[in-house]
Amino acid sequence: MDERAKIRVTLPRENPTSSYWQDPPDDIADERTTKDPPNKADIVIIGSGITGAAIAWNLLKDVNPGEKGSRNIVMLEARQACSGATGRNGGHTKAASYRSFLEHASLLGTPAAVQIARLEYNNIQAVHAFAKEHDIPCDSNPCHTIDIIYDQAQWAAAHEAVAAMKAAFPEGDPVAEYTFHSPAEVQSKFHCALDAGTVAGEQQTLYGGVSYPAGSISSYAFTTGLLKLCLSRGLNLQTNTPATSLMKNRDERTWTVQTPRGNIWTKDIILATNGYTAAIAPTFQGAIVPLRGQVTAQRPGSKLPEKGCLPTTYSFIYDKGYEYMIPRPKGSRNEGDLVIGGGLVRAKEEGLEEYGTTDDTTVNQDISDYLKDSLTRYLGVGEKGNWGEDHPDGRVRKEWTGIMGYTPDGFPMVGPVPGETGFWMSCSFQGHGMVLCWMCAKALVEMMEGRDNEELKGWFPEAFRVGFERMRKRFQGRLHTSVAVPPGPPVGGESG
Ligand SMILES: Cc1cc2nc3c(=O)[nH]c(=O)nc-3n(C[C@H](O)[C@H](O)[C@H](O)COP(=O)(O)OP(=O)(O)OC[C@H]3O[C@@H](n4cnc5c(N)ncnc54)[C@H](O)[C@@H]3O)c2cc1C
């Protein structure tokens, strides 16, 4: 893994796989608000995923639609609008906070663990509420989810963690709302097979399930909808325009952003570049490591209740990994399709080759084969199973990959980059951005606009802030282990 973390991070690749959500691409996929990028801006946001879009929204939300604010804000996107992780994820708005709560509590203390779980819950609520308030057509579907657990240790850990959360939160607090289900209930209420078969010769024993509030959404449609709100308030979006380098000007306070279509002078740069951050900010090489994820959209089997429009979303958790699955809700395009991702540890060397790569132009065949067979195994085939016959057009409608950003401690990096002026970031959301990016964007703009005060500290975790110590941590082993290195080179060069 240490070697994978050293692979030089690249800019987003040309010709990526096309995701289920980007088919067809949105009207603004190739948006260029002005023919050429402006050569001067107050703020340049790099990246048009949910983070970049939510930052732009927080900067522009007080501007009336059709008017321009007092600040010129330019957004650069290397490929089409929202073509990074946000445009190619699994669409799950699911915190699963109990799965990290005890680790956070032991590392940071219980109050910080409570704060993180509350932020995750609030993020999910805020995203679905925003979609509703602004009528964004993105199949926003707040609902319950169930984690189906096939591992004794994980089952025991789930009980311990839920008990700890119930003790740490006030009674009835929805953040700590969890219900356990027996294997019989998992079968009768959640349509899963009692016998999930064997994988690599190992029997998958069903221990039970845990249900709680979550949701699903087309993150692509949500974010392109959000970008349109920003465009109507004066955002200048330049797609297919990578930032290729960031140069500190001689005054030490302003920046020049280089692109193949010309340079932009700016007072503030914001990195919303997630797994690609180190490509233009080399200090983060090895501190934010790309990890490729893979997802499939599958047509439901003939016997599935509600034609596949199951009322909950799912995760399937086993000893070393998990899959996540959302059924496409009633009324959505291809309703009842099952979008399932994961399978990382089922690939060669438990998915080692997926770390450090920015190649989302292709899929991993081991993972494709595994995901294709997972659904029938989890839901059950044969007379007693819930799957039935495959759809006449075949099971897999679409498969694709996308690039996530991972930090050694598992937390995003948000805030002013230390040692620099006018240089900000909100990056590296692991596989968890739909429950973190919204609130991190809000926090970043609070910091930029001088409201980094007690109120912000009350809801925004200290552990998410970028600092020298976190910037020096490098991966050792797979996830959540690190070693410190001496300070790296400066973030940018110097220009005239
Ligand atoms: C396959 C997959 C499945 C996932 N499933 C889920 C899920 O179900 N639920 C969940 O919560 N999370 C999920 N995630 C994670 C989630 O999608 C991300 O955490 C989240 O979308 C991050 O958003 P972002 O805006 O920070 O980054 P991104 O969406 O990656 O956006 C970064 C943007 O920056 C652009 N960019 C980068 N460098 C440059 C440059 N130099 N110049 C110009 N533009 C640049 C990129 O092209 C990209 O569009 C998944 C991720 C993947 C890849």
Side-chain angles (χ1 to χ4, degrees), residues 57-91:
W57 171 255
N58 279 285
L59 291 166
L60 290 165
K61 64 181 188 305
D62 295 330
V63 177
N64 292 323
E67 290 179 8
K68 274 192 149 218
S70 55
R71 291 177 292 197
N72 289 322
I73 304 175
V74 175
M75 180 181 283
L76 297 177
E77 168 52 56
R79 304 190 297 201
Q80 289 192 318
C82 192
S83 55
T86 309
R88 40 188 69 248
N89 66 22

Side-chain angles (χ1 to χ4, degrees), residues 415-475:
V417 176
E420 303 290 351
T421 304
F423 196 83
W424 311 82
M425 69 190 297
S426 188
C427 298
S428 200
F429 293 96
Q430 341 290 315
H432 216 48
M434 296 313 294
V435 295
L436 293 174
C437 294
W438 186 262
M439 297 305 280
C440 289
K442 187 178 156 89
L444 184 78
V445 174
E446 294 292 296
M447 295 175 203
M448 288 185 72
E449 294 187 339
R451 294 185 295 276
D452 194 353
N453 50 28
E454 287 310 306
E455 194 192 330
L456 181 62
K457 291 187 178 88
W459 63 265
F460 188 70
E462 192 62 31
F464 289 10
R465 288 177 186 255
V466 57
F468 278 126
E469 203 185 317
R470 294 188 67 211
M471 285 165 68
R472 283 180 203 137
K473 278 188 186 157
R474 295 291 180 266
F475 269 91

Side-chain angles (χ1 to χ4, degrees), residues 279-359:
I280 42 166
T283 304
F284 294 93
Q285 177 70 41
I288 297 179
V289 176
L291 171 60
R292 183 168 71 173
Q294 189 162 325
V295 186
T296 65
Q298 305 192 25
R299 300 177 182 92
S302 60
K303 261 174 71 182
L304 276 181
E306 303 291 328
K307 296 189 173 131
C309 299
L310 304 167
T312 54
T313 69
Y314 291 70
S315 294
F316 304 96
I317 298 171
Y318 39 90
D319 56 347
K320 287 184 181 152
Y322 63 95
E323 275 77 66
Y324 45 94
M325 179 185 93
I326 61 157
R328 295 280 287 137
K330 279 209 170 73
S332 62
R333 194 163 62 96
N334 301 326
E335 65 174 26
D337 272 9
L338 299 166
V339 177
I340 178 166
L344 176 70
V345 299
R346 304 304 192 192
K348 198 174 87 186
E349 293 181 87
E350 298 188 345
L352 185 63
E353 285 177 7
E354 305 305 301
Y355 290 83
T357 181
T358 51
D359 186 1

Side-chain angles (χ1 to χ4, degrees), residues 36-260:
D36 297 311
N39 54 22
K40 200 171 173 192
D42 292 301
I43 301 174
V44 174
I45 301 171
I46 305 174
S48 68
I50 187 170
T51 297
I55 291 169
W57 171 255
N58 279 285
L59 291 166
L60 290 165
K61 64 181 188 305
D62 295 330
V63 177
N64 292 323
E67 290 179 8
K68 274 192 149 218
S70 55
R71 291 177 292 197
N72 289 322
I73 304 175
V74 175
M75 180 181 283
L76 297 177
E77 168 52 56
R79 304 190 297 201
Q80 289 192 318
C82 192
S83 55
T86 309
R88 40 188 69 248
N89 66 22
H92 222 163
T93 49
K94 167 166 181 166
S97 305
Y98 77 97
R99 304 227 320 130
S100 49
F101 184 79
L102 288 176
E103 192 187 334
H104 292 167
S106 90
L107 196 70
L108 310 167
T110 300
V114 165
Q115 198 182 42
I116 292 171
R118 195 172 290 293
L119 178 141
E120 293 174 329
Y121 180 85
N122 288 344
N123 191 107
I124 294 174
Q125 301 302 312
V127 165
H128 288 292
F130 190 91
K132 192 170 176 197
E133 185 190 342
H134 294 273
D135 216 7
I136 300 179
C138 56
D139 305 323
S140 163
N141 181 31
C143 60
H144 268 63
T145 190
I146 176 131
D147 291 350
I148 318 277
I149 300 183
Y150 300 93
D151 179 65
Q152 193 168 21
Q154 303 258 11
W155 183 238
H159 281 84
E160 193 190 341
V162 166
M165 282 189 75
K166 287 197 184 288
F169 283 83
E171 205 180 328
D173 194 315
V175 183
E177 182 198 318
Y178 294 99
T179 308
F180 283 95
H181 302 272
S182 66
E185 274 182 321
V186 166
Q187 188 189 31
S188 61
K189 289 190 179 164
F190 299 98
H191 318 291
C192 289
L194 268 183
D195 177 3
T198 56
V199 178
E202 275 184 34
Q203 178 66 38
Q204 305 296 296
T205 307
L206 172 61
Y207 285 88
V210 195
S211 66
Y212 49 98
S216 68
I217 198 164
S218 163
S219 315
Y220 178 67
F222 176 80
T223 301
T224 50
L226 178 58
L227 285 171
K228 285 174 200 165
L229 295 175
C230 297
L231 289 169
S232 73
R233 287 160 174 82
L235 175 71
N236 185 321
L237 171 58
Q238 296 288 329
T239 61
N240 304 303
T241 308
T244 47
S245 79
L246 313 173
M247 313 285 279
K248 202 184 304 178
N249 294 328
R250 289 227 170 95
D251 60 18
E252 296 280 328
R253 283 182 295 109
T254 62
W255 296 84
T256 297
V257 180
Q258 292 189 322
T259 87

